[in-house]
Amino acid sequence: MQQHGDQYIGGEWVVSLGTDTIPVLNPATEEVIASVPAGTAEDVDAAVNAARAAARAWGATTPAERLEPLTRLRDGLAARQQEIAATVVAELGCPIGFATTVQAALPLGVASSYLSILAGYEFTEQVGNSTVYAEPAGVVAAITPWNYPLHQVVAKVVPALAAGCTVVLKPAEDTPLVARLFARIVHEAGFPAGVFNLVTGVGTVAGAALAAHPEIDLVSFTGSTAVGARIAGIAGGGIKRVALELGGKSANVVLPGADLARAVNVNVGNVFANSGQTCTAWTRLLVHQDQYEEAVAIAAKAAAKYVPGDPTSPETRLGPLVNAKQRDRVRGYIETAVAEGARVVAGGPEAPEGLATGFYVRPTVLADVTPDATVAQEEIFGPVLSILSYRDEAHALEIANGTAYGLAGGVWAADNETAVAFARGMDTGQIDINGGRFNPLAPFGGYKQSGVGRELGRHGLEEFLQPKSLQF
Ligand code: NAD
């Protein structure tokens, strides 16, 4: 077991000022594989002061000067793909296939995208008699969750550094190891001391101290809506900017005339990816009442192909959930669904067969779910798909928009025009039309309680900029 006692502050690994530690568990074996410091408010203070001390000089660099270490950072991510994937398998329980193609490859793609966005971005603009400069937002607090533990770090830290901001990162308690690996890659890339800092720790201690620190200018948070609301309150009190990427309860709407089998099969794959621990997961499948039983049968058959197992095996498509609490929570939701009248057509709340160890949940498909059911309203964050029926398009839209969230979604129709017309009515930040692929350059973020602001692409860079206008 690796016992780490240090934080990355001011360009070097320094001993944490606290004595408490956080154990890191392998969710498949339930073994403690490492421990990291439970950072204190003093650790946070040192990291923020280092970031503040570096902010003016880093903010004054040219885009070309920032591109040099950012290119080396991208190259470092490329060189460490295997190590990144193995780390995410170990601390998240993510199957090695998905860990390689998504957990490791997506952050590399996002980091690469910012090299070209930065190279082409116009940082000055003439507006009438004013010259408007896009200046860095200042010192950024980045607070991230565990489900895509490197992607969420890169989606904040890389555009922030590209914008000329300095950063203090507080990663999730469950997945600090890939964040530490990222800090090593940043270090090797040769950024000036203090431009990037890492403090591992508990949310209510290190996270709260970071969000409240008077020297933080902008808090960029990804996580649950409940914690996001708390952070927005804290940041609001200090007049700090906030960017919030929160939860979801996304609807995939299959309109009559669409390729039903494809739409349902893609939905099952979507909702079971990463053991259902994806904020954009299409957890509600909406099908016309005349096609309902057909859709249920297709989904049940597709779900049978997802057998939970050892995430280190390339054959495994479904790993465990991140921790025991999450496993119990998800099983509890399945029980609630049954109590509220849902029909279990695949999976269920019981432990999967032959897996006595590990935080596993059976891949579950629920039919006869009503729009107001608990599982149709609350984010479950596990491998659970609810199938709902609608009478007509107006009813489908009412159901699709009938939650507090608005992060993602899908629409399937006989043609793109029909699908787009429906999608324009959805209160949702990102919608895939007839199975459109994820685009890492497109703005990503939520309507309603799914968040504030957008990540990725040009919009993601602009989150970390602020305009200054000079009049002539
Ligand atoms: P969480 O909100 O519990 O924790 C997220 C981060 O916030 C962690 O680093 C945690 O330590 C920190 N934190 C917790 N309490 C804090 C406090 N009081 N002050 C400051 N920081 C605090 O979320 P989680 O359980 O890690 O992640 C799962 C949730 O994240 C789900 O609800 C999911 O939908 C959401 N999520 C959203 C997106 C998105 O982009 N919209 C992406 C991934 C996950």
Side-chain angles (χ1 to χ4, degrees), residues 143-147 152 170-173 201-204 207-208 211 221-225 227 230-231 245-248 279 379 381 407 444 450:
I143 302 177
T144 55
W146 43 261
N147 56 333
Q152 287 142 342
K170 206 302 280 174
E173 292 86 329
V202 174
T204 47
F221 170 81
T222 298
S224 61
T225 296
V227 175
R230 201 170 309 158
I231 285 179
E245 298 289 345
L246 309 175
C279 46
E379 184 172 55
F381 235 53
L407 187 56
F444 176 92
S450 287

Side-chain angles (χ1 to χ4, degrees), residues 215-401:
E215 290 296 330
I216 291 291
D217 297 302
L218 186 157
V219 185
S220 179
F221 170 81
T222 298
S224 61
T225 296
V227 175
R230 201 170 309 158
I231 285 179
I234 296 170
I239 320 292
K240 302 177 195 311
R241 284 170 64 183
V242 282
L244 305 172
E245 298 289 345
L246 309 175
K249 193 72 221 177
S250 298
N252 181 35
V253 183
V254 188
L255 296 175
D259 182 342
L260 181 71
R262 183 156 168 253
V264 174
N265 278 304
V266 169
N267 198 146
V268 169
N270 170 300
V271 90
F272 292 162
N274 210 33
S275 293
Q277 301 166 126
T278 303
C279 46
T280 53
W282 297 341
T283 51
R284 296 182 299 149
L285 170 60
L286 273 58
V287 183
H288 189 272
Q289 58 191 13
D290 292 348
Q291 296 182 299
Y292 189 74
E293 286 308 328
E294 192 186 346
V296 168
I298 297 167
K301 196 170 159 205
K305 294 188 199 132
Y306 289 81
V307 181
D310 175 6
T312 62
S313 161
E315 311 296 316
T316 301
R317 293 165 85 184
L318 195 77
L321 299 201
V322 68
N323 56 37
K325 189 173 152 211
Q326 195 70 11
R327 173 199 57 196
D328 296 344
R329 194 169 160 256
V330 174
R331 286 189 187 166
Y333 269 116
I334 301 170
E335 282 165 1
T336 301
V338 173
E340 292 181 6
R343 172 167 45 117
V344 177
V345 294
E350 311 81 17
E353 276 166 36
L355 289 169
T357 307
F359 308 127
Y360 291 95
V361 173
R362 298 173 70 184
T364 298
V365 177
L366 302 168
D368 302 341
V369 175
T370 55
D372 59 350
T374 304
V375 288
Q377 289 294 323
E378 295 183 13
E379 184 172 55
I380 299 174
F381 235 53
V384 182
L385 173 64
S386 297
I387 311 184
L388 293 85
S389 78
Y390 65 83
R391 292 185 301 275
D392 52 30
E393 277 195 28
H395 188 211
L397 191 60
E398 185 190 320
I399 297 171
N401 287 338

